[in-house]
Amino acid sequence: MPKTWTAFTTLADKDKAEALGLAIEEMDPEPMGVGVFEIEDGSGTSEVGGYFTEAPDEVALALLAAAYGAKPFVVSKVPDTDWVDKVRRELTPVAAGRFFVYGSHDADKIPEGAEPLLIEAAMAFGTGHHGTTQGCLEALDRLATEGFTGKHVADIGCGTAVLAMGAARLWPDMVIASDIDEVAVEVAEANVRANDLSDKVTCVVAAGFDNPDLHARAPYDLVFANILKQPLIDLAPDMATHIAPGGYAILSGILTWQADEVVEVYTAQGMPQLRRDTIGEWVTLTLQKKQ
């Protein structure tokens, strides 16, 4: 397998962080990928990273850090790893309510009566092993147990579409799943096919609700959004517009200390909190739009 090096730094100025990311792309040796991410801790700090198949020029990195006011780059050599095999060995099945999330190597472990959701190790992002996804599946299971039936369901920021597939296992009507990332939508579609749910789940590329298919299916009686705090806050007005009176939202990607702010924003949109559940440091909120 090819050797890989990473180089990461942080800085407080978002514009400078993006400019630094562009500068790294011009380095020699050229990186195979560059990422600029805002750290979700309220500090406004951004992380800038490059991935290299050859050892990066550390002198050039030091000069770039100084030029853009960033901290010194931390350069690391990534060990050669068969990541799919590693995930397969370490990713044990997860039970979340009636749902059982598993890889094909654990197909013989599906409990009788469980709703199985197959996610292969190569597509392991958002499988249910993260507390946010597990929390959303448990919230879905709870609503269904209490007698709720979803006829118009959307999964916004779907990742692998595990939440959309969970809803499709329970109810007969079509579920729509969307993600802003085209690659994520391709992964979602592959998972939907692997679970024989192509006639039950439609996957589309969209930022939030910005897609004709999402508009056409509104209003929704249930919407999942397992993303991050700030995108959830930004989405609140659209969420309130697209959910029917009495409809539910299941939100996650929220750290425990962020939950009150999210609840406050959604309450102001007429969607107060019904329930708050915590797994580790992550919170899942169940909200209901006022009648």
Side-chain angles (χ1 to χ4, degrees):
M1 299 184 67
K3 294 180 174 63
T4 306
W5 284 261
T6 61
F8 281 90
T9 185
T10 57
L11 66 166
D13 188 308
K14 183 178 180 181
D15 290 337
K16 286 186 177 180
E18 292 176 352
L20 176 56
L22 291 173
I24 294 173
E25 292 180 0
E26 302 300 322
M27 287 183 62
D28 184 17
E30 182 180 348
M32 63 178 178
V34 174
V36 180
F37 311 96
E38 184 173 350
I39 299 172
E40 292 287 331
D41 61 359
S43 68
T45 301
S46 294
E47 182 177 62
V48 182
Y51 301 82
F52 300 81
T53 54
E54 300 178 55
D57 184 336
E58 295 194 38
V59 173
L61 287 171
L63 291 172
L64 286 174
Y68 289 92
K71 291 185 177 180
F73 277 89
V74 175
V75 178
S76 304
K77 182 179 177 182
V78 180
D80 294 348
T81 304
D82 183 339
W83 291 105
V84 172
D85 181 65
K86 178 179 174 66
V87 170
R88 183 179 291 116
R89 284 185 279 108
E90 296 183 357
L91 210 58
T92 56
V94 168
R98 73 190 72 191
F99 300 103
F100 187 78
V101 186
Y102 71 102
S104 59
H105 56 289
D106 286 319
D108 59 339
K109 299 177 182 177
I110 301 173
E112 184 177 352
E115 295 289 354
L117 297 170
L118 169 64
I119 306 290
E120 288 294 9
M123 300 178 178
F125 171 77
T127 60
H129 297 76
H130 196 285
T132 61
T133 315
Q134 183 179 348
C136 289
L137 286 172
E138 291 177 353
L140 170 61
D141 174 72
R142 189 178 305 111
L143 281 180
T145 299
E146 293 170 353
F148 171 76
T149 299
K151 294 184 178 296
H152 299 273
V153 179
D155 182 3
I156 305 297
C158 65
T160 57
V162 66
L163 302 178
M165 293 191 297
R169 288 281 190 218
L170 298 183
W171 304 309
D173 293 282
M174 180 70 73
V175 178
I176 187 165
S178 70
D179 201 286
I180 194 171
D181 187 331
E182 292 184 12
V183 175
V185 172
E186 291 174 3
V187 168
E189 289 173 335
N191 285 321
V192 168
R193 288 192 298 271
N195 285 270
D196 296 322
L197 289 170
S198 295
D199 61 338
K200 297 285 299 295
V201 179
T202 297
C203 302
V204 300
V205 178
F209 289 91
D210 190 14
N211 181 283
D213 289 341
L214 283 164
H215 290 303
R217 295 168 188 259
Y220 295 96
D221 42 31
L222 173 62
V223 174
F224 300 102
N226 180 14
I227 40 181
L228 291 170
K229 182 204 79 171
Q230 193 57 51
L232 285 173
I233 288 174
D234 295 341
L235 193 62
D238 270 355
M239 188 79 76
T241 298
H242 286 83
I243 292 181
Y248 297 92
I250 295 176
L251 311 181
S252 199
I254 309 162
L255 293 164
T256 52
W257 58 270
Q258 299 172 332
D260 287 343
E261 184 179 355
V262 175
V263 169
E264 181 180 358
V265 170
Y266 276 81
T267 299
Q269 295 289 336
M271 299 182 62
Q273 171 185 305
L274 281 183
R275 185 179 175 107
R276 180 183 305 198
D277 296 285
T278 304
I279 297 176
E281 61 182 347
W282 296 99
V283 168
T284 299
L285 299 173
T286 304
L287 315 175
Q288 186 174 26
K289 185 174 177 179
K290 291 181 179 179
Q291 297 280 1

